[in-house]
Structures are given as C-alpha cells and as structure tokens.
Amino acid sequence: MKISFHPKLLDCLPGYTQAQLGKDIASGITIGVLALPLAMAFAIASGVSPAAGIWTAIVAGFIISALGGSRVQIGGPTGAFIPIIYGIVATYGFGNLLIATMLSGIFLLAMGIFRMGQLIRFIPVSVVIGFTNGIAVVIFMAQIKDFLGLQIDSLPPEFFSKIKTLAASFHLIHWPTLALSLASLAFLLFYNRMAQVPRLAYLRRAPGPLAVLVLATATTALLDLPVETIGSRFGGIPQGFPGISLPPLSLETLGKLISPAITIALLGAIESLLSARVADSSIEDRHDPNQELIAQGLANIAAPLFGGFAATGAIARTATNIRSGGRTPIAGMVHSLVLLAMVLILAPLASYIPLATLSAIVVVVAVNMGEWHEFKKLRRFSNNYRAILLSTFFVTVIFDLTLAVELGMVLSCLFFIYRMSELTRIERLPLKEHEREPVFLHPDGSLRIAAWRLYGSLFFGAVNKLEALLDPHAGHPEVVILDMQSLIQLDTTGLEGLENLLNQLQKRGCTLIVCGLNSQPGSLLYRSGFIDHLGDENVCPDLTAALARAGELLPPLQEDEA
C-alpha cells in the first residue's frame, strides 16, 4: 500500500504573495485572541486545568494547520469533547486521559493512512444532528455548577446522578457568582448581536469571548468580587514551556482506555471533516480527508506530551478564519504562535479570570452548536428519520456518545435494509401474445411457461421474495423465465436463494431460464458456477430470446393431452 502524505501547505506555498501573508497574519492574530478564552473555558468545563486547554490549542493547532488537508482549518479543543473528556477524567484520571488521547491519535493516523476519510461521510445526517444536539445539552448541564457557583467538588458523569446532585445543591446558589454569570451572558449575547450590525462591524475585531473576558476580569480584580477565579481554583497558569513527558502506561490500563480512545477518535474525525467540508463551500476548495486525518492523528499524539488533551477541527474558529481573510495554513500556524506569545507574556494576569465568565462563554457555545431548528422540522420527515435522530439524541444525553452513535448507525442500517427490501419487487409478466399458441398451453388452458421480472436489489433482506416463484398457487409451469434486466445488484445470500430456486424447480422437472443479466449480477452468477449448473443455453440476452428458448424446450403435447 502506498502511503500518501501531502499537506495542503505545500500546495499553497508556490505563488504565495506578500498581500496574502498580511491577510493570514491578521487572521491568525484574530483567531489566536479568540482561541484563548475558548481554550481555557473548554478545558475547565472538561475537568482539567486551563493550561491544558491552552497548550492543546498551541501544539495541536499548529500541527493541524501545518500538516492538514485543508487550507483554512483551525484546530484545538472544542466543546463537543467536553462530556467525553470530563467522563474520562472522572473515571480514569488526568494521566490516563493523556494516554487515551495519544491512542486516539494513533487510531486517527491509521484511518488516514488506510484512506478511510471518505467513510466518515457515510454517517447519516440524522445521527450527526442527534449527537450534536445531545452533546450541546450535556455541555449546558455541566456548566450549571460554575454558572450558579454551587459548591460541588465534582459532578458525577452519569446523567441521573448528575441531576440528583444538582437538585440537592440548588439551594446553595452563590448569588455574586450568578450575578456575574448572568451579566457576562447578557453582555456576550448583546455584543455578538451588535457585531452583526454593518455600522458596528469594527466590533468583530475584538471577538465577543475576549471582550467579555477582559471586562469581567478587570471588574473582578478592581472590585475584588467574591467569586472563584482561575487563580483560586488552579493557582493560575504557569508562565513558560511545560516539561515534555510521557504519562505512565501499563497493559491493564491500556485495555481499559481503548474504548474511550475510539470515542475520541470517532468524534474527532467526524467534527474535523465536517468542519473542513463546510470550509470548502466557503472558499471554493476541496480538502483531502485522509491527509486531514493524518494531521489530526499526529496532533493528538503530540499534544499530550505538553500536557494537552484531545483536539480536532473547530468549526467556529475555522469560519472566523475565513471571514478574517485567512486562506492558507499560515493563518492557523500564526494563531498558535499568538497563543504561545500570550502564555509567555500574559500568564500572570490569567489568575484574575472569573470562572463564572468562562462558564457563560461555554453556555453560549453549547446553545450555538445545537441545531435546534431540526427538531421543529421533524414532522416533515419519515418516522424512521425521527426514530434515528431522537434515539441518538436521548442516548447521548442519558448515556454516552459511543453508544448513541452505535445505536444510530444500527437503526440507520436496519431502516435502510427494510427500505431496500421494500423497493425490491418480483412481478409476474403477462404473456398474452402466447396465450393462443398450443405449444405453450396445458390442456386446461393454463400456460406451460411462467415469466417473472426482478426489480431492485436481490440481497439478504429481500431474498425471501423468491418464494413467490415456488408458490403452488402460481401453477405448475414446465419452464420458468427470470428476467433480470431491472436487477441492479445481487449479493451472496441472493445467489444462494437463486441456487435454491434452481434446485427446487429441477426437482419438479421444470427448467429455469434467465435473461437480461446486468454486469454485477451476471459477474457473480458466472464466477460462482451458477451458470454452469444452469447451462449456458439457458442464459438469454432478453425476454424475446428467452421465450424462443422456452419454445425449444417444450415438447409438443400428445393428441390425447391436446
């Protein structure tokens, strides 16, 4: 197998202009400024330190841009990972999260090497919408603790236990924290709406999350508000480079982490390729899904060495990059360098950042990431579509993403099989032009031949429909013609059904003739030896030739029979 490794950056460097460099640098600075509060907020919501989120954005973001298959993809921690990361940390601890992240990187790397990028697109949109909305609900629920200032050591990952814990602590709302959370939320919503007004477009230069973060941090520091901050909970953010190290590993631990790692890899692949596909439509380009998965894999292997965790393509930051004029991977690489500079220079100031404001930022992200309008449109679609979407949604919220995607895919496959089996038909063909030919008639006037036409796909979900040809009520023909001109696909179970039909007809002294074979069914019938059993002379190009062959096979009736 030939491994293809061709980052999009290599395609962008020839003909790269100074003007585009200026746009990429400006866009990279904008995205870097936006990524700082998001990286910290996502990390804290995931149950890890804000520094872990920042170094994830720096290391993984740089690798995804430099080695990825998209011109404009921005990588880093995302909201979709929050419930997964939180559950892993709660169950296995932060050290094992790093191992699970590296394992997911190996899985993503393998998916890219074995060119599985296109397979991600086979996931039905109903499943994607279901788990996306479910993740949004889970993220929102996880923010209730910090949004209200509840004094809870840690929320249990299980849904009903989480509800019970929140309900039991609801009377302990910390009112200064709630006031700051509501103020931050209101400011963020108002700011984002005002930034959409054409005459206030200059507000877009300072992203909403950064604006509210600066304002809330300054207010908290100047007024000495009695709210929890990054400094009070985490001791601030270390200034300087983290030590590169490998987390301890054992075979017992490795076995337990395979399932979480697969979940991270699956979600990372889906989100990054969805983000790249959305970006393609905006810049009229086409990403390389396999190269993108390779970059995602390398990023998730490298980030844990610096204390980072799972990363993927971020749709919102990628869209902002496009709006800001970024058109090459240089913009994403600059964004990582801007984050690095901010950590090295401004880290001491991060101690004053209030967790309530970061919680408000994540709440807005959760609300915006959900495609809530799809619930209103459910009545327009089939019951199958509704069942898949709602099942995936509720299982994501109540249990976990892996089970939700598995259930959604199983339901999708079952409904598809049922639909395909409904489209497969076997119909009796009238032979009116032969009803008066004595050679084709039994003494009672019934035809000595029966012709049937197959439509659609003869596969394991529809092979039972061949039973109609053996129905005693269909008469006792001496020749059965099977017209396959409308049969587009045949699988091995369908082949077995045809072999059984041939054997049953031969036991009755009846001859089977097939005609109108298309390429795929014909190829399988010849390769399997079915045609050898049937006889080449009983394979005809069309129905007319098959009827002529039937006439040759039917012996003339005796006078007493006639």
Side-chain angles (χ1 to χ4, degrees):
M1 180 189 66
K2 182 180 179 181
I3 299 176
S4 175
F5 184 83
H6 188 82
K8 207 70 168 181
L9 178 63
L10 300 179
D11 295 332
C12 299
L13 292 180
Y16 190 66
T17 64
Q18 187 173 355
Q20 186 57 54
L21 175 62
K23 293 179 181 179
D24 286 339
I25 292 176
S27 179
I29 294 174
T30 301
I31 304 305
V33 169
L34 170 63
L36 179 65
L38 292 179
M40 291 189 293
F42 292 153
I44 294 172
S46 301
V48 300
S49 71
I54 295 174
W55 283 104
T56 299
I58 293 172
V59 177
F62 189 90
I63 293 174
I64 289 171
S65 293
L67 304 179
S70 169
R71 289 175 177 266
V72 294
Q73 181 87 285
I74 302 297
T78 66
F81 278 128
I82 289 176
I84 300 172
I85 302 303
Y86 186 89
I88 295 174
V89 173
T91 305
Y92 303 104
F94 181 71
N96 287 328
L97 167 65
L98 303 183
I99 297 174
T101 302
M102 297 182 77
L103 280 176
S104 73
I106 294 172
F107 292 147
L108 285 165
L109 184 62
M111 291 167 65
I113 291 174
F114 289 101
R115 312 189 66 81
M116 298 174 64
Q118 300 293 344
L119 298 181
I120 301 299
R121 299 185 178 184
F122 292 165
I123 298 178
V125 66
S126 53
V127 176
V128 174
I129 294 172
F131 77 66
T132 300
N133 287 3
I135 288 173
V137 172
V138 174
I139 293 172
F140 181 86
M141 289 181 57
Q143 292 311 300
I144 295 176
K145 169 180 171 289
D146 286 337
F147 196 90
L148 301 179
L150 302 179
Q151 296 301 309
I152 302 173
D153 291 335
S154 62
L155 282 174
E158 198 272 329
F159 174 76
F160 294 106
S161 298
K162 186 180 298 181
I163 294 292
K164 184 178 179 180
T165 302
L166 289 172
S169 306
F170 200 77
H171 65 286
L172 301 175
I173 292 176
H174 189 250
W175 296 106
T177 298
L178 177 59
L180 181 59
S181 298
L182 291 173
S184 300
L185 181 63
F187 178 88
L188 190 56
L189 295 175
F190 178 77
Y191 188 96
N192 290 343
R193 179 164 295 191
M194 290 299 98
Q196 302 305 315
V197 178
R199 60 190 179 86
L200 299 178
Y202 61 88
L203 293 177
R204 301 175 192 172
R205 298 176 183 175
L210 179 67
V212 72
L213 191 68
V214 171
L215 183 60
T217 301
T219 302
T220 301
L222 293 175
L223 300 181
D224 194 22
L225 296 179
V227 296
E228 197 170 17
T229 65
I230 287 180
S232 64
R233 181 181 293 185
F234 300 101
I237 295 177
Q239 188 175 22
F241 290 91
I244 298 178
S245 62
L246 284 172
L249 179 63
S250 67
L251 288 178
E252 181 182 359
T253 303
L254 189 65
K256 295 178 181 178
L257 296 177
I258 288 178
S259 179
I262 292 175
T263 302
I264 295 174
L266 178 63
L267 181 58
I270 294 172
E271 190 168 6
S272 65
L273 295 185
L274 283 177
S275 174
R277 188 165 61 178
V278 171
D280 286 349
S281 62
S282 300
I283 64 173
E284 297 183 358
D285 191 40
R286 186 175 182 181
H287 72 282
D288 182 345
N290 299 308
Q291 182 63 39
E292 186 65 25
L293 290 180
I294 289 175
Q296 298 288 338
L298 294 173
N300 281 280
I301 292 173
L305 299 177
F306 296 83
F309 55 97
T312 185
I315 296 176
R317 274 161 277 173
T318 299
T320 303
N321 181 34
I322 295 172
R323 290 196 300 268
S324 302
R327 289 297 181 272
T328 75
I330 300 295
M333 296 162 68
V334 170
H335 128 271
S336 295
L337 297 176
V338 169
L339 278 172
L340 177 61
M342 295 174 74
V343 169
L344 297 178
I345 297 172
L346 303 177
L349 299 178
S351 296
Y352 298 100
I353 296 176
L355 300 185
T357 299
L358 292 176
S359 179
I361 292 173
V362 177
V363 166
V364 173
V365 170
V367 173
N368 290 338
M369 76 179 290
E371 299 183 56
W372 313 112
H373 59 280
E374 293 294 335
F375 288 128
K376 297 180 180 179
K377 294 163 56 177
L378 280 178
R379 63 181 183 274
R380 304 180 188 176
F381 298 101
S382 67
N383 290 332
N384 294 351
Y385 180 90
R386 297 173 196 162
I388 295 169
L389 191 152
L390 293 176
S391 297
T392 306
F393 171 76
F394 284 113
V395 174
T396 299
V397 172
I398 297 174
F399 298 103
D400 63 70
L401 174 68
T402 305
L403 181 61
V405 173
E406 290 173 354
L407 177 63
M409 292 299 294
V410 168
L411 288 177
S412 299
C413 291
L414 290 177
F415 288 141
F416 175 76
I417 291 169
Y418 176 77
R419 179 59 178 160
M420 289 299 296
S421 67
E422 288 295 296
L423 294 175
T424 300
R425 309 193 316 274
I426 299 180
E427 294 182 356
R428 184 79 175 261
L429 296 178
L431 301 174
K432 295 181 179 179
E433 65 274 19
H434 301 287
E435 289 181 355
R436 291 188 177 86
E437 296 186 25
V439 71
F440 288 108
L441 297 175
H442 282 297
D444 60 4
S446 62
L447 284 171
R448 301 169 68 188
I449 62 173
W452 301 78
R453 177 167 291 159
L454 279 171
Y455 295 86
S457 173
L458 188 61
F459 69 113
F460 62 90
V463 70
N464 63 306
K465 298 191 176 184
L466 286 175
E467 295 173 2
L469 280 68
L470 298 172
D471 188 352
H473 296 92
H476 298 280
E478 298 175 37
V479 176
V480 170
I481 298 174
L482 200 54
D483 187 348
M484 296 187 177
Q485 67 174 10
S486 298
L487 184 72
I488 59 175
Q489 193 270 340
L490 174 71
D491 74 354
T492 52
T493 306
L495 171 65
E496 184 180 13
L498 289 175
E499 291 173 340
N500 180 61
L501 173 67
L502 176 59
N503 292 332
Q504 294 295 322
L505 291 176
Q506 288 179 342
K507 289 179 181 178
R508 295 182 182 182
C510 180
T511 302
L512 177 66
I513 299 174
V514 298
C515 66
L517 286 175
N518 287 311
S519 58
Q520 191 276 332
S523 173
L524 181 56
L525 291 179
Y526 275 101
R527 286 184 288 109
S528 65
F530 177 85
I531 298 301
D532 295 333
H533 188 191
L534 178 69
D536 288 329
E537 65 279 5
N538 292 327
V539 180
C540 301
D542 52 39
L543 182 60
T544 301
L547 289 169
R549 171 60 181 165
E552 297 173 2
L553 292 172
L554 291 176
L557 295 174
Q558 301 297 324
E559 291 186 5
D560 57 341
E561 295 179 320

